[in-house]
Amino acid sequence: MKKTMIALAAAGLVSFGAAAQAGDAGAGQAAYATCAGCHGGAGEGGVGPKLAGQDPAKVVELLQKYKAGEQVGPMTSMMAPMAAGLSDADMENIAAYVAGL
């Protein structure tokens, strides 16, 4: 019984964490406007990689790394300044938006 209660509590925390990280795609659409020049209006890619349909958690992870100044890839010098002004909510919103493209 105790193991069952622990498992249920853990599942609830995982579910809550996933819901807490879900962004607002509508707000993300507005924030994405600055991304479109390199990633395309529909996230199809261009100078930057395709973002349409990407896993939101991965998009947030990469944006956080850029913001933290970590070297992510050859475009880090272009992305770091773009990510520097994004809040965690902005990142989650952009990620939610591009996931639905």
Side-chain angles (χ1 to χ4, degrees), residues 2-99:
K2 184 176 179 181
K3 287 181 181 180
T4 302
M5 294 302 290
I6 291 171
L8 289 173
L13 288 174
V14 169
S15 296
F16 174 77
Q21 289 185 0
D24 177 347
Q29 182 176 13
Y32 182 78
T34 60
C35 310
C38 292
H39 294 283
E44 70 276 12
V47 174
K50 176 183 174 185
L51 296 179
Q54 294 296 314
D55 174 39
K58 184 66 174 175
V59 172
V60 170
E61 175 189 347
L62 289 171
L63 287 170
Q64 289 172 338
K65 286 181 177 185
Y66 285 126
K67 184 174 182 172
E70 293 181 35
Q71 182 66 35
V72 177
M75 302 304 269
T76 297
S77 62
M78 290 180 70
M79 280 300 302
M82 301 303 294
L86 297 175
S87 68
D88 288 343
D90 292 333
M91 293 178 195
E92 291 171 7
N93 294 342
I94 291 168
Y97 175 68
V98 298

